Amino acid sequence: APAPDTITITGVVTAALPTQSTVPVRATAASGLPVTLAGSGACVVEASMVRTLAPGTCTITATAMGNGGSLLPATRAVTVPVG
């Protein structure tokens, strides 16, 4: 049966990030398939960098699309306070 891929997110701390800061982030899939990153809430992700916008909560979501066979799509999210 197909199983979801495993995603690891690195470079983001779980302690509060300062407002108006930029922090590197990286996501990899155990399968080696491409992973896309997105930021929401108090941050955006641009070119593997998290940019905080305002005090609040930043959610970084990594998604791997699977391979259409033995690996299902997978998503992993990390939430970090900002401010």
Side-chain angles (χ1 to χ4, degrees):
D5 205 345
T6 302
I7 297 173
T8 303
I9 300 174
T10 56
V12 176
V13 296
T14 55
L17 294 173
T19 303
Q20 297 296 318
S21 64
T22 304
V23 179
V25 63
R26 181 176 173 172
T28 56
S31 65
L33 292 171
V35 178
T36 58
L37 286 165
S40 61
C43 66
V44 294
V45 175
E46 300 167 333
S48 297
M49 300 294 284
V50 176
R51 184 167 52 93
T52 59
L53 305 172
T57 302
C58 166
T59 301
I60 300 156
T61 304
T63 304
M65 296 312 296
N67 64 6
S70 61
L71 285 174
L72 297 173
T75 301
R76 178 171 177 151
V78 175
T79 300
V80 181
V82 176

